[in-house]
Amino acid sequence: MTAPPPVGEGLWRDLARQALARLLRAYGGDRFDRCEDAVQEALLDAHRQWPEQYPDDPLGWLTVTARRRYADQARSDARRRDREVRTALLSPPVEPDVVQSDDSLLVLRLCCHPDLPRSGQVALTLRAVAGLTTAQIATVYQVPEATIAQRITRAKRRVSRLGGPLPAPGHAAERITPVLDVLYVMFTEAHHTTSGAPPRDADLAAEAIRLARLLLRSVPESTEVAGLLALMLLTEARHPARVGPDGLLKPLDEQDRSLWDGELIGEGVALVERAAPGAQPGPYLIQACIAALHAEAPDTGSTDWPEILALYRLLEHVTGRANPTITLNRVVAQAMVAGHDAALAELAALEADHPDLPRLDAVRAHLLESAGRTGEAADAYRRAITATVNLAERNHLRHRLRQVLSSSA
């Protein structure tokens, strides 16, 4: 045993995912629910014991403990198997404890089983692979937390009934659409954490990028995978400028672009330039094209806003106008092209259809402030502050409100 190093949330998440993958390899996908419970119990043991005696091999310790917990569960379930089968279950032939490079993708694809409904696929995977809480997933999808909990429970029951060992996909592109959705939500949560304290989850962002790289290696011909990875890289490149010296969030038009990571921008733009020509437009590739236009512009004023507006309109069309957040972003681009009055009219129409849309009042406040309507902007900022649960965003909105009030005094 060695002195305990600091154990961050990212390490816990990574260890839990790898331990779960090992148990699934050993016991099969039909035991998903039981394997996940065993890993969670082992994590509780680790939280209690590691501060006093930190293991030399944390993953090995966690895996062995989880297997013991799994065995305890199986022994107590006398109704499911007789003694001989139970004994065989508790002593399965397993592979050596070597981390497989594709374990994470295998678990991703298991959770995205085609017999599960799409909502269940994504919710279950975000819990099992990304380690997100039901509250975080509910915030991303703008639905009640109880709804997400029900989706996860139903999906786990369905996976348990499917039976069979951990499935190796028939081909690399199998189940790719829900896998892409999971990675996108992982990365979105990393850069806009539910609580906002901290404003960014660096470990989760790095893991989402790592998995996207693995996925692109397995399906290099997929323009949507290339688009998602490019979007992640171009967004990650702006991170150094996203928080100012005062600790407040900096919106895109206020960021010091000299702080952006040129290497990540170069890699992201190169991916877009390779994937976009002749490609069938998909939501992730379109968003990557938008991010590339922002990344290549020296400042907000010289950004190609008409092209960005056109891309947002294409994105709305491709997604069937099912995502009001895309429309909200399109309204911002429209303000840069057609003026604030036209954008505010669009915003009112959007609010009529989606009155509880997050960030709607924040966007309205920004447009009103830009139009010089400071009194209305202050009211909108107050409403936005009340509706925002993210601490970092709330602090930013309070700062903007103080600026509006001081300018109108």
Side-chain angles (χ1 to χ4, degrees):
M1 298 289 179
T2 60
V7 181
E9 183 178 349
L11 178 57
W12 287 121
R13 185 185 294 125
D14 184 55
L15 290 172
R17 181 178 56 255
Q18 293 189 51
L20 177 60
R22 290 183 175 189
L23 262 66
L24 289 171
R25 284 180 175 277
Y27 303 116
D30 58 327
R31 305 291 174 177
F32 183 93
D33 205 11
R34 182 174 287 177
C35 289
E36 187 186 40
D37 289 343
V39 171
Q40 293 301 316
E41 291 185 18
L43 285 171
L44 291 176
D45 289 342
H47 275 286
R48 287 191 292 264
Q49 298 181 35
W50 287 9
E52 299 296 328
Q53 289 187 310
Y54 189 81
D56 294 326
D57 180 7
L59 178 58
W61 188 100
L62 193 66
T63 303
V64 169
T65 304
R67 284 175 175 163
R68 289 171 179 162
R69 293 295 189 180
Y70 179 96
D72 291 341
Q73 293 173 18
R75 289 192 187 97
S76 66
D77 192 7
R79 293 172 300 174
R80 292 182 62 88
R81 295 187 182 274
D82 59 24
R83 177 179 175 82
E84 290 77 15
V85 175
R86 193 163 64 247
T87 300
L89 176 65
L90 298 176
S91 305
V94 297
E95 300 177 9
D97 280 343
V98 177
V99 178
Q100 302 295 320
S101 62
D102 62 348
D103 268 353
S104 297
L105 289 180
L106 280 172
V107 178
L108 268 171
R109 288 175 172 129
L110 170 67
C111 295
C112 294
H113 196 285
D115 284 351
L116 297 176
R118 181 69 168 276
S119 59
Q121 290 175 346
V122 177
L124 179 62
T125 312
L126 288 169
R127 271 290 302 273
V129 178
L132 301 188
T133 65
T134 52
Q136 288 173 306
I137 302 170
T139 298
V140 171
Y141 282 100
Q142 303 166 28
V143 298
E145 186 174 344
T147 300
I148 295 296
Q150 290 172 357
R151 290 178 184 176
I152 292 171
T153 299
R154 287 195 295 265
K156 287 163 70 173
R157 288 174 180 166
R158 178 62 178 157
V159 168
S160 295
R161 288 197 296 267
L162 291 174
L166 185 66
H171 52 86
E174 185 178 338
R175 310 174 192 175
I176 199 166
T177 301
V179 168
L180 286 172
D181 290 347
V182 167
L183 295 181
Y184 179 76
V185 173
M186 282 177 65
F187 192 77
T188 299
E189 173 63 21
H191 274 265
H192 301 278
T193 57
T194 301
S195 67
R200 173 176 176 269
D201 186 333
D203 293 322
L204 188 59
E207 178 61 13
I209 291 174
R210 185 186 75 84
L211 290 172
R213 290 188 188 281
L214 276 177
L215 191 60
L216 183 59
R217 235 174 274 149
S218 66
V219 282
E221 73 286 354
S222 171
T223 57
E224 274 295 86
V225 176
L228 178 59
L229 178 57
L231 177 62
M232 289 179 175
L233 296 173
L234 292 166
T235 304
E236 186 75 1
R238 299 199 297 264
H239 163 67
R242 188 166 173 254
V243 178
D246 55 4
L248 293 173
L249 291 178
K250 291 286 185 184
L252 184 63
D253 59 344
E254 296 179 14
Q255 291 180 11
D256 179 356
R257 301 190 179 204
S258 67
L259 299 177
W260 289 2
D261 189 319
E263 185 176 343
L264 290 180
I265 289 175
E267 184 182 358
V269 169
L271 281 168
V272 171
E273 290 177 344
R274 285 198 301 270
Q280 180 73 22
Y284 297 119
L285 183 56
I286 295 171
Q287 290 179 79
C289 290
I290 294 170
L293 288 170
H294 283 301
E296 294 181 310
D299 52 55
T300 301
S302 57
T303 300
D304 190 346
W305 288 107
E307 180 66 15
I308 287 177
L309 178 58
L311 287 168
Y312 271 121
R313 285 174 172 155
L314 177 60
L315 184 58
E316 284 182 299
H317 174 73
V318 166
T319 57
R321 300 184 181 275
N323 188 340
T325 300
I326 294 173
T327 302
L328 187 63
N329 291 331
R330 190 259 297 161
V331 168
V332 174
Q334 185 165 338
M336 301 300 294
V337 175
H340 300 99
D341 290 340
L344 286 166
E346 288 273 357
L347 205 62
L350 179 62
E351 183 178 27
D353 292 331
H354 304 280
D356 298 322
L357 180 63
R359 292 182 56 243
L360 193 145
D361 272 315
V363 171
R364 176 185 285 114
H366 170 71
L367 294 177
L368 289 167
E369 181 184 1
S370 300
R373 296 159 62 176
T374 54
E376 294 172 86
D379 290 339
Y381 274 125
R382 292 188 183 99
R383 292 193 300 272
I385 291 167
T386 301
T388 301
V389 297
N390 182 288
L391 179 61
E393 291 181 8
R394 198 186 313 145
N395 288 338
H396 167 70
L397 293 169
R398 285 172 174 158
H399 175 69
R400 298 301 303 176
L401 175 60
R402 287 193 294 268
Q403 287 188 317
V404 167
L405 293 175
S406 63
S407 67
S408 61

